Amino acid sequence: MGKVLVFLAGLLAGAALAHVASKTPAGARVFAVVNGVTDEFVAALSDSYRARLAEAE
């Protein structure tokens, strides 16, 4: 039970730190890059999935 509490405390601390960091100009740039890379990855994954579905039909 203690390990779960430590994990949850770390998760909350990380979320709070990310929230504070995103308010700075440098933090906003980092999150913009991360969001851009994530969007590209999700788009490529979606395109691949749709192509596989089209092959199966």
Side-chain angles (χ1 to χ4, degrees):
M1 183 68 180
K3 290 182 180 182
V4 172
L5 290 176
V6 170
F7 174 75
L8 289 176
L11 191 64
L12 288 173
L17 184 62
H19 179 71
V20 170
S22 70
K23 291 184 178 185
T24 66
R29 283 192 304 271
V30 168
F31 284 112
V33 169
V34 169
N35 286 338
V37 170
T38 303
D39 289 344
E40 288 177 17
F41 175 75
V42 170
L45 193 64
S46 297
D47 292 344
S48 176
Y49 179 73
R50 287 189 187 107
R52 292 290 288 179
L53 280 180
E55 289 176 6
E57 292 178 355

